[in-house]
């Protein structure tokens, strides 16, 4: 908790309503490293590098900024205006990294169009420090819940890079000389095209670095189990009731195919994610850019990331709509649905160990109960299905955000990208944990599988071609009513001989077409 005395700031009269001036307030939001005894005018304590504050200004007036921070007045103003959610709601690190990549690319391209090479080089070096992540914790305090265009995060990046570049060149932090956050770092750009560009860069990189490796790991593990279990015949189930036989390998082949298709769905989204809005500036016209700027920036981003980014063919669409993000989120949602089905099947097949299906055994990773000694639970299945549920919820939010592009700009950008990135990370991480701590250790309980197989009444389906559906149904219903076996009941009813039953009712012959 931090207590502040509200007072108007010089040149910033509108920031504090008149009715609140002079009143003490308790602030419970996230105000990074601000001393609890400071006032609203941003006195800063606990300096790590330099003590005290400096004066910086924006179009609303002057604010005090901690000397040990590279951000400037617009970042401070955003911290004060959007105390929503706390540190856990900060702008995702992949977005900040993507901004660094974009700003570096823009500086290099702007140099071709006349930006002083010394300034461009300093901006590029500062951007490298943003890309590496070393500046994230201390200098990027803003939360997701800000302006829907991401303007404050764009300016946060501009201010950090500008001040770091000034420092590299031996200047004074906050002076905006010789590097200006708007005139130089943001040259030929607008928040309206830089933020969606960062959204796409971050999403594509995280798909390649986190999601696809996790999904491929899961696919490989499921294919291995498919091969391992291919000769184990078990009873099938439809409507959660007994059905005709299949192999455990065939059952696992469905799981593997779901994940393989999921990987394809994600990859099929990427061509639209690779299209970058940079060069559209405010509304998509490209005002204040130069011919070729958009294409050159996309080429630079592609060079830095080793991914095939291109300039968006229609910048108006790239700013006003984020259908590509909704599409990617939809693919993630489909993967989540697949995972929910697979993990639920696995935990039900492993139910027991004595009073459930018990056809497979899962690794025993930790005690399952604080009161029932010896209990072990399918915790990896539970974790990954919770992830699946969260991803489905994230997709709802992304869908709402995507549907709210108004005229020339969608203003749900930070919420959309944060949910997509969260889904990517959760799915990638949970897939790896599920493989390492569950799938690779799954074992088939052959004795239990065989017992359930031969107790099933649905083996009677093999008799349909020989005695007809009605007689086969009579055998099954009578056997169930009398608690008898299919064979004994068939012989009792006189529908076939023992030799015929043994010849026709063979589970190993019921695994595919004749």
């Amino acid at each position: 908790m931090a207590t502040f005395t509200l007072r108007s700031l010089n040149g910033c009269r509108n920031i504090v309503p008149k009715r609140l001036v002079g009143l003490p307030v308790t602030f419970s939001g996230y105000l990074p490293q601000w001393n609890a005894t400071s006032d609203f005018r941003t006195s800063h304590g606990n300096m790590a590098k330099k003590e005290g504050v400096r004066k910086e200004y924006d179009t609303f007036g002057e604010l005090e900024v901690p000397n040990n921070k590279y951000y400037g007045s617009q970042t401070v103003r955003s911290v004060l205006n959007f105390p929503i959610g706390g540190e856990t709601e900060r702008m995702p690190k992949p977005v900040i990294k993507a901004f660094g990549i974009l700003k570096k690319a823009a500086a290099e391209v702007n140099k071709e169009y006349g930006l002083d090479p010394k300034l461009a080089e300093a901006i590029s070096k500062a951007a490298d420090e943003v890309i590496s992540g070393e500046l994230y914790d201390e200098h990027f305090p803003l939360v997701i819940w800000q302006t829907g265009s991401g303007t404050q995060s764009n300016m946060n990046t501009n201010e950090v890079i500008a001040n770091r570049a000034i420092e590299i060149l031996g200047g004074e932090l906050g002076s905006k000389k010789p590097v200006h956050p708007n005139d130089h770092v943001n040259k030929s750009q607008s928040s309206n095209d830089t933020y969606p560009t960062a959204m796409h860069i971050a999403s594509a990189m995280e798909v390649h670095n986190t999601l696809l490796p996790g999904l491929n790991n899961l696919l490989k593990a499921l294919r291995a189990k498919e091969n391992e279990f291919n000769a184990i015949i078990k009873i099938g189930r439809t409507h959660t009731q007994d059905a005709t036989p299949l192999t455990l390998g065939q059952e696992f082949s469905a799981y593997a195919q779901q994940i393989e298709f999921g990987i394809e769905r994600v990859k099929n989204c990427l061509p639209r994610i690779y299209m970058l809005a940079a060069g559209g500036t405010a509304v998509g016209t490209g005002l204040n850019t130069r011919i070729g700027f958009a294409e050159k920036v996309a080429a630079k981003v592609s060079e830095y990331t080793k991914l095939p980014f291109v300039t968006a063919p229609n910048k108006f669409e790239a700013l006003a709509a984020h259908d590509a993000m909704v599409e990617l989120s939809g693919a993630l949602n489909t993967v989540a649905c697949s995972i929910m089905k697979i993990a639920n099947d696995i935990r039900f097949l492993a139910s027991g160990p004595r009073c459930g299906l018990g056809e497979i055994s899962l690794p025993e990773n930790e005690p399952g109960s604080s009161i029932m000694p010896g209990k072990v639970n399918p915790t990896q299945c539970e974790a990954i299905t919770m992830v699946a549920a969260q991803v489905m919820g994230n997709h709802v939010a992304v869908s709402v955000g995507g549907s709210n592009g108004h005229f020339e700009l969608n203003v749900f950008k930070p919420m959309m990208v944060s949910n997509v990135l969260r889904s990517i990370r959760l799915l990638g991480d949970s897939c790896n944990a599920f493989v390492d701590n569950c799938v690779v250790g799954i074992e088939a309980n052959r004795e239990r599988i065989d017992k359930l197989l031969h107790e099933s009444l649905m083996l009677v389906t093999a008799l349909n071609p020989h005695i007809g559906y009605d007689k086969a149904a009579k055998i099954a219903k009578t056997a169930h009513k009398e608690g008898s076996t299919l064979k004994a009941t068939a012989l009792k009813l006189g529908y076939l001989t023992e030799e015929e039953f043994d010849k026709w009712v063979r589970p190993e012959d019921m695994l595919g077409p004749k």
Side-chain angles (χ1 to χ4, degrees):
M1 293 287 190
T3 300
F4 300 93
T5 300
L6 296 181
R7 62 187 71 172
S8 293
L9 305 180
N10 293 332
C12 304
R13 297 177 183 175
N14 294 330
I15 199 167
V16 182
K18 289 182 178 179
R19 68 182 185 278
L20 298 180
V21 172
L23 295 178
V25 297
T26 298
F27 177 79
S28 59
Y30 173 55
L31 197 57
Q33 297 195 23
W34 294 67
N35 192 312
T37 61
S38 67
D39 68 10
F40 193 83
R41 299 202 324 158
T42 73
S43 296
H44 187 277
N46 227 4
M47 297 302 174
K49 299 176 183 177
K50 306 172 184 177
E51 293 190 2
V53 295
R54 64 179 183 271
K55 303 284 188 180
E56 289 210 24
Y57 64 92
D58 56 20
T59 56
F60 270 68
E62 187 178 75
L63 285 174
E64 292 177 342
V65 181
N67 274 336
N68 68 330
K69 304 301 179 192
Y70 290 129
Y71 55 69
S73 57
Q74 290 200 46
T75 301
V76 170
R77 200 176 298 283
S78 183
V79 168
L80 297 173
N81 285 337
F82 301 100
I84 303 172
E87 188 168 0
T88 60
E89 298 299 299
R90 286 173 66 183
M91 191 61 61
K93 192 171 184 177
V95 173
I96 303 304
K97 180 175 181 177
F99 261 119
I101 292 169
L102 173 58
K103 297 300 178 179
K104 179 180 175 72
E108 293 298 322
V109 173
N110 280 323
K111 181 170 63 174
E112 298 181 31
Y113 290 108
L115 179 63
D116 186 329
K118 290 184 179 180
L119 302 188
E121 182 180 356
I123 291 170
S124 184
K125 286 181 179 179
D128 283 336
E129 296 180 16
V130 173
I131 296 168
S132 71
E134 61 187 279
L135 301 182
Y136 178 77
D137 291 336
E138 293 294 322
H139 306 285
F140 290 90
L142 302 191
V143 294
I144 298 159
W145 316 108
Q146 53 172 276
T147 178
S149 62
T151 299
Q152 281 91 39
S153 281
N154 179 45
M155 281 308 303
N156 183 188
T157 307
N158 290 332
E159 290 175 340
V160 168
I161 290 177
N163 273 322
R164 178 65 184 115
I166 289 169
E167 187 174 64
I168 290 171
L169 295 171
E172 181 182 348
L173 295 188
S175 66
K176 301 184 181 180
K177 297 177 183 178
V179 181
H180 194 286
N182 298 81
D183 296 340
H184 301 128
V185 183
N186 201 60
K187 184 177 176 61
S188 300
Q189 302 156 67
S190 163
S191 298
N192 295 353
D193 68 343
T194 58
Y195 199 93
T197 299
M199 289 167 64
H200 281 219
I201 295 171
S203 298
M205 291 180 68
E206 287 300 291
V207 164
H208 281 281
N209 295 336
T210 302
L211 178 63
L212 291 179
L215 288 175
N216 280 306
N217 190 24
L218 179 55
L219 174 60
K220 181 180 177 181
L222 291 171
R223 287 294 185 205
K225 288 300 170 181
E226 173 190 347
N227 294 329
E228 180 183 342
F229 298 151
N230 203 42
I232 301 174
I233 303 173
K234 62 168 298 237
I235 198 64
R237 296 179 180 87
T238 59
H239 304 269
T240 68
Q241 306 296 301
D242 300 351
T244 55
L246 75 167
T247 70
L248 187 58
Q250 288 172 326
E251 197 163 43
F252 270 73
S253 76
Y255 307 150
Q257 191 65 65
Q258 283 184 276
I259 298 303
E260 186 170 315
F261 284 152
I263 292 170
E264 290 179 12
R265 290 185 181 100
V266 171
K267 288 181 176 179
N268 287 341
C269 298
L270 291 178
R272 269 77 64 196
I273 296 295
Y274 292 141
M275 296 176 182
L276 301 182
T281 61
V283 297
T285 60
L287 177 67
N288 289 349
T289 64
R290 301 284 292 276
I291 294 173
F293 176 83
E295 291 78 8
K296 289 176 180 291
V297 166
K300 285 289 184 182
V301 171
S302 181
E303 176 188 338
Y304 300 154
T305 62
K306 310 302 181 187
L307 295 175
F309 289 105
V310 296
T311 191
N314 187 302
K315 302 301 189 298
F316 305 102
E317 184 272 346
L319 273 61
H322 294 310
D323 295 346
M325 295 296 289
V326 178
E327 180 186 15
L328 176 57
S329 182
L332 302 177
N333 187 66
T334 304
V335 170
C337 291
S338 298
I339 284 174
M340 183 72 81
K341 187 264 193 290
I342 293 165
N344 277 335
D345 275 12
I346 287 173
R347 69 167 145 189
F348 294 146
L349 290 171
S351 60
R354 294 189 176 180
C355 300
L357 296 181
E359 292 186 341
I360 61 175
S361 295
L362 306 183
E364 298 184 349
N365 296 326
E366 62 270 315
S369 173
S370 61
I371 190 173
M372 293 175 280
K375 194 173 192 298
V376 179
N377 295 328
T379 53
Q380 287 294 321
C381 295
E382 293 165 6
I384 201 169
T385 51
M386 285 193 289
V387 163
Q390 183 63 57
V391 171
M392 293 174 195
N394 292 347
H395 181 54
V396 172
V398 173
S399 299
V400 172
S403 68
N404 273 280
H406 305 137
F407 302 113
E408 279 63 63
L409 189 67
N410 177 290
V411 289
F412 279 66
K413 300 182 197 298
M415 181 276 286
M416 291 182 71
V417 71
S418 64
N419 276 289
V420 169
L421 291 173
R422 189 181 188 197
S423 293
I424 289 171
R425 179 64 184 270
L426 288 175
L427 286 172
D429 287 356
S430 64
C431 282
N432 286 326
F434 191 55
V435 168
D436 295 342
N437 300 311
C438 182
V439 177
V440 296
I442 293 175
E443 296 180 356
N445 297 330
R446 293 172 182 261
E447 184 177 339
R448 176 67 172 169
I449 288 172
D450 193 64
K451 180 177 185 295
L452 293 177
L453 172 67
H454 288 93
E455 287 179 353
S456 173
L457 299 176
M458 288 303 100
L459 297 181
V460 77
T461 308
L463 296 177
N464 286 359
H466 306 285
I467 65 174
Y469 181 92
D470 291 340
K471 288 182 178 180
K474 179 71 171 177
I475 293 172
K477 287 181 174 294
T478 303
H480 182 56
K481 181 178 180 181
E482 297 179 353
S484 182
T485 65
L486 287 176
K487 184 175 182 179
T489 303
L491 297 180
K492 174 184 174 181
L493 293 174
Y495 290 156
L496 69 169
T497 66
E498 181 175 359
E499 181 181 359
E500 288 172 327
F501 186 93
D502 291 340
K503 179 182 178 181
W504 294 334
V505 183
R506 292 168 52 84
E508 59 270 29
D509 293 335
M510 300 174 68
L511 302 175
K514 298 295 184 184

